[in-house]
Amino acid sequence: MPNPLISYFQQFRYISDEDALLILEAFQLKSFKEGEYPFKGHRVCSEMYFVCKGVVRIATHNERGVDITHFFYPENHLCTILQSFNEGSITPTAIQACCDAEIMVITKTRLVALYTQLPYLHEVIDHVNQQHLIHKVNVRNRYLGEAAEEQYRLFVEQNPDIALRVPLKDIASYLGITPQSLSRIRKNIR
């Protein structure tokens, strides 16, 4: 059975068996239970993650301590805290498993070494990161100016699988509403 990471990269470029082996040797597979953090935040994010199974969320706490979900990444997505990863800067943002997850992890040091061996991989990952940023902006722009009920409808329409697998409190924080408001919205939609 093909590895999901290699299959993912092959959407963008052919990967030989030899190159696939180099890539897989550089990544480490880790398991996280729901609520655990692949990256806790408040330090430099020096790892990149590929979600094999499960869903992770990118999240912070605002100045009042309110939990804010910025984005969800389901299976077959690369993710990191990009600014921290690229610049080596400390970030308050965390990555948390929303359900049990299997994630392939590579450190920045190992990734840079892999780029030396496979220079095309740098282009592939840069392209993926660019596409993720554009997608995030487009998704967030669709929610602008919409009432909370319409935002929830859009979220479920665009992410039916995620909506079924992540805690409602995480969806509420993503939409910028309270869990109680989301419960009322869901009750009215049925």
Side-chain angles (χ1 to χ4, degrees), residues 46-78:
S46 59
E47 295 176 325
M48 186 168 282
Y49 308 91
F50 179 78
V51 183
C52 295
K53 290 183 183 172
V55 178
V56 299
R57 71 185 185 113
I58 310 297
T60 55
H61 287 88
N62 69 13
E63 62 281 347
R64 292 174 283 147
V66 176
D67 185 54
I68 299 170
T69 299
H70 298 288
F71 214 76
F72 294 100
Y73 286 102
E75 289 89 357
N76 298 315
H77 281 85
L78 276 176

Side-chain angles (χ1 to χ4, degrees), residues 30-36 51-56 73 75 96-103 165-167:
K30 294 184 179 183
S31 295
F32 296 90
K33 296 287 184 195
E34 179 179 332
E36 291 183 336
V51 183
C52 295
K53 290 183 183 172
V55 178
V56 299
Y73 286 102
E75 289 89 357
Q96 183 183 34
C98 296
C99 53
D100 292 352
E102 289 184 10
I103 300 171
R165 295 193 295 161
V166 304

Side-chain angles (χ1 to χ4, degrees), residues 66-132:
V66 176
D67 185 54
I68 299 170
T69 299
H70 298 288
F71 214 76
F72 294 100
Y73 286 102
E75 289 89 357
N76 298 315
H77 281 85
L78 276 176
C79 71
T80 189
I81 310 301
L82 195 57
Q83 184 173 1
S84 177
F85 186 83
N86 285 343
E87 297 175 0
S89 56
I90 294 173
T91 180
T93 309
I95 301 173
Q96 183 183 34
C98 296
C99 53
D100 292 352
E102 289 184 10
I103 300 171
M104 295 183 76
V105 181
I106 188 168
T107 64
K108 185 173 183 176
T109 304
R110 289 189 87 174
L111 185 59
V112 169
L114 194 55
Y115 288 162
T116 302
Q117 295 174 286
L118 308 173
Y120 68 83
L121 191 60
H122 194 273
E123 292 173 24
V124 169
I125 290 177
D126 279 352
H127 174 75
V128 167
N129 287 333
Q130 255 184 3
Q131 293 306 308
H132 283 184

